[in-house]
Amino acid sequence: MEAVVLAGGFGTRLQSVVSDVPKPMAPVNEKPFLEYILKYLKKNSITRVILSVGYKWEVIQNHFGNDFEGIELIYSVEDEPLGTGGAIKKALQFVQNKQVYIINGDTLFNISLNALKLQNNSKLQLSLKNLKDFDRYGCVESDNNGYVTTFCEKSYKKEGNINGGIYLMASDIFDSFQLNDKFSFEEFMEKNFKNINSTVRIFDDYFIDIGIPKDYEKVQKEIELQL
């Protein structure tokens, strides 16, 4: 199987601690965070990864080259920021299979990728993480059959399921839509979740988002215990 890793982030909220490399290259225990993601993908039997890159992408290529521990690495390079949707759309040009995993380059969600399945005519399955007492994330609600019913805005929730940043996607997901080169995948999902029959799978595995300094510090202590 293949995976697309979204590795083009600027890391704006991490500028106070990481300012000279793309966010997925932020050092965690003297290794780039992206290295842990690739190790996770190898553990899940991924053999081909398309790295969607932009900001200072040469830093990533110079470090990893075209192979990481037997995983073939292909670079989908944005000449200008395309948004998450535009980045995925561009990277899909390099995908060889009918289905592909999409991975956020600034989060680690230690789920079994094999647990994600596209049901019937679904084009997308989201991995969700159950959280309690949070206000940093929006949440995703679903019915008893696992189909998405609502995307909720960020607000305090006593309990809810957040988007874990890993998707299983049909590689022709965008074929029926007229889309600009630049667009947000999150907005695309919120607008079209019914049209693409989006489903969810809820997990309770380890999850961390390094997007803010507090969690970036936290991951230094935790990540080696999780992989």
Side-chain angles (χ1 to χ4, degrees), residues 114-216:
N114 287 332
L116 297 177
K117 308 287 183 185
L118 293 185
Q119 304 172 19
N120 302 321
N121 56 351
S122 174
K123 298 284 188 182
L124 180 72
Q125 184 163 72
L126 297 80
S127 64
L128 304 186
K129 167 71 173 178
N130 183 261
L131 290 183
K132 294 179 173 60
D133 296 314
F134 65 95
D135 59 10
R136 181 176 158 193
Y137 305 98
C139 64
V140 184
E141 296 179 353
S142 57
D143 63 22
N144 291 333
N145 294 315
Y147 285 88
V148 175
T149 58
T150 311
F151 283 87
C152 307
E153 295 294 324
K154 292 180 184 179
S155 64
Y156 173 77
K157 295 280 186 184
K158 189 171 181 62
E159 183 174 2
N161 298 315
I162 69 164
N163 183 348
I166 295 179
Y167 314 93
L168 178 60
M169 173 188 294
S171 54
D172 64 354
I173 187 171
F174 299 132
D175 288 2
S176 300
F177 300 90
Q178 295 293 321
L179 297 166
N180 296 324
D181 289 339
K182 299 179 183 181
F183 67 99
S184 160
F185 185 60
E186 292 74 19
E187 291 178 5
F188 172 84
M189 286 192 294
E190 291 175 18
K191 184 178 180 181
N192 297 294
F193 67 86
K194 291 183 180 179
N195 296 329
I196 58 177
N197 297 299
S198 301
T199 63
V200 304
R201 181 75 185 262
I202 302 168
F203 299 88
D204 194 33
D205 296 271
Y206 177 78
F207 171 86
I208 195 155
D209 175 350
I210 67 163
I212 61 173
K214 179 182 177 182
D215 281 352
Y216 177 62

Side-chain angles (χ1 to χ4, degrees), residues 40-94:
Y40 159 78
L41 292 175
K42 181 181 179 181
K43 184 179 73 172
N44 279 269
S45 302
I46 300 299
T47 58
R48 190 169 185 268
V49 169
I50 296 95
L51 293 172
S52 174
V53 293
Y55 173 69
K56 292 190 175 182
W57 72 275
E58 297 90 349
V59 174
I60 298 175
Q61 187 183 48
N62 290 340
H63 183 88
F64 290 103
N66 298 317
D67 177 274
F68 176 80
E69 296 186 2
I71 299 176
E72 181 185 4
L73 301 180
I74 295 92
Y75 293 85
S76 175
V77 183
E78 301 175 43
D79 295 323
E80 58 181 330
L82 299 177
T84 47
I88 292 170
K89 182 183 174 187
K90 184 177 179 68
L92 288 176
Q93 300 173 34
F94 299 94

